[in-house]
Amino acid sequence: ERREGVDIEMRKSPSYCVSGVAEGANGPAALSFRIEPLQPSSGSSSRGGVYVLAPGGITDKDGRFRICDLFPGTYRLHADDSLPGSRPDRLPVFGAVEVTVADEDIRDVRVTAAPGLPLEGEVVLEGAQPDKPPAGKVSVWLQPLLRAQYRAESTNTRSDIPGRFSLPSLLIDDYAALPRLNAPGLYIKDVSYGGRSVRYEPLRMGSAMSGAGLKILVAQDGATLSARVAQKDGAPVADARVLIMPVTVASEGMLAAALVSGKTDQSGQYTSSTLAPGKYYVAASLEEFDPTPESMGRLWRAHHRFQEVELAPKGSAQVNLEPLSIER
């Protein structure tokens, strides 16, 4: 991905060590381990690529490890049994802990790798039930937040509306719940795990009571927004980026998850997918935007220049826009 405004500052600081024991279901054992600053250095980029940079190694047979040259800060340490020669089609046992290095070595850290947990879920259709279920399906996808996905890790499925689904084994870790739906009049209203909304929050496997499931709420009162993008002289603008931001967005991180965007056709027209009723900020730009901190920060700072529009339940709205230059 493209990153902007990146300043690299080199500092000198004391370095410290972290040591401890990694154990699996049967106690301490030889396990692979990785350590990285809490801001992740492995995972999936906004354009779908996978990056893995975290240093690590293999513990002793008794599970002991020691890693040094760590500067002060908070780290994420994880362990699994994906050792050299392991079958790639087998989901490993996995465990992760946070370690904060201040001004001394950290000893006796214990990280426990455990098998994955099954996740049951249901898709619920809000409101009066139609005579025939909707023809569309909900695509359910859970993306690991702080690491790359294991090859044997199955995190996606599909479900009828209404319907039930299951994922056989998810690691005890943080995921982003990213359900998708493309059906006229329908939209994802909320996603909850163990009774708590995870629509714009991490889903932490194992944080809810045993047997707690994932609930995806689908609403039927969706609306659409159409935009015509033109220059001041009325000439239509093709391939302009239309940006739709819910007024309720409260942070740059939430903006990255809630932002809806698309491009105009050759006549300068754009029509959104089904949206939740409510108020939105709308703008058009000839620039490209990625879900990176730099891009979201620019949009967040500029949203007061966007046009405000309200969508009524089951309604539609039309707006006329001129391309904006979003300040860097």
Side-chain angles (χ1 to χ4, degrees), residues 243 283 285 287 289 298-299 302 305-306 324-328:
L243 305 162
S285 177
E287 304 169 42
F289 295 91
R298 290 168 58 202
L299 290 178
R305 300 167 54 203
F306 292 11
L324 286 179
S325 177
I326 309 299
E327 297 179 0
R328 296 183 179 274

Side-chain angles (χ1 to χ4, degrees), residues 9-314:
E9 181 178 343
M10 303 294 291
R11 291 182 177 179
K12 286 185 177 181
S13 74
S15 61
Y16 301 98
C17 299
V18 170
S19 59
V21 175
E23 58 186 3
N26 299 317
L31 300 173
S32 296
F33 70 92
R34 297 286 184 273
I35 189 166
E36 59 188 333
L38 191 57
Q39 182 173 342
S41 58
S42 65
S44 300
S45 75
S46 62
R47 295 181 182 272
V50 175
Y51 55 101
V52 181
L53 298 175
I58 298 176
T59 67
D60 292 337
K61 292 182 179 180
D62 60 2
R64 295 194 174 276
F65 64 87
R66 177 179 168 87
I67 185 167
C68 295
D69 294 330
L70 300 176
F71 55 84
T74 301
Y75 294 82
R76 170 179 156 95
L77 174 67
H78 80 250
D80 62 51
D81 65 348
S82 58
L83 300 171
S86 299
R87 290 172 46 193
D89 60 344
R90 180 188 62 84
L91 187 65
V93 297
F94 176 90
V97 295
E98 290 184 11
V99 180
T100 299
V101 176
D103 56 1
E104 61 182 1
D105 292 348
I106 307 297
R107 298 178 177 85
D108 300 323
V109 173
R110 187 168 293 271
V111 53
T112 301
L117 299 174
L119 179 66
E120 302 293 328
E122 63 175 335
V123 174
V124 177
L125 186 62
E126 186 182 55
Q129 302 298 298
D131 295 334
K132 293 184 178 180
K137 290 180 179 288
V138 173
S139 296
V140 183
W141 179 36
L142 300 184
Q143 181 183 29
L145 273 177
L146 301 173
R147 57 174 172 81
Q149 184 170 326
Y150 289 93
R151 186 182 304 180
E153 192 173 7
S154 177
T155 62
N156 61 286
T157 186
R158 289 166 61 85
S159 172
D160 293 326
I161 310 171
R164 303 192 68 85
F165 61 89
S166 64
L167 293 168
S169 186
L170 292 172
L171 300 177
I172 302 176
D173 201 10
D174 288 356
Y175 293 86
L178 303 171
R180 296 287 185 266
L181 171 63
N182 185 12
L186 303 181
Y187 64 94
I188 305 294
K189 185 173 184 178
D190 194 22
V191 183
S192 60
Y193 173 61
R196 183 179 68 85
S197 178
V198 292
R199 187 77 170 100
Y200 302 113
E201 299 288 339
L203 186 163
R204 296 191 170 183
M205 281 298 299
S207 64
M209 294 179 59
S210 177
L214 187 68
K215 179 180 177 181
I216 300 174
L217 182 63
V218 175
Q220 307 180 66
D221 59 348
T224 57
L225 176 64
S226 297
R228 181 179 185 273
V229 181
Q231 301 288 3
K232 289 183 179 181
D233 61 3
V237 180
D239 294 325
R241 176 69 64 180
V242 177
L243 305 162
I244 305 173
M245 178 194 310
V247 170
T248 54
V249 165
S251 67
E252 296 175 20
M254 185 176 175
L255 173 59
L259 182 69
V260 176
S261 70
K263 287 191 174 183
T264 58
D265 60 19
Q266 294 304 305
S267 61
Q269 295 286 340
Y270 164 79
T271 299
S272 73
S273 57
T274 305
L275 302 172
K279 293 183 178 181
Y280 292 85
Y281 295 123
V282 188
S285 177
L286 298 178
E287 304 169 42
E288 291 292 335
F289 295 91
D290 290 321
T292 59
E294 294 82 12
S295 285
M296 294 303 102
R298 290 168 58 202
L299 290 178
W300 182 256
R301 293 189 295 271
H303 76 269
H304 64 280
R305 300 167 54 203
F306 292 11
Q307 184 173 329
E308 186 173 320
V309 61
E310 185 168 3
L311 297 178
K314 298 184 179 181

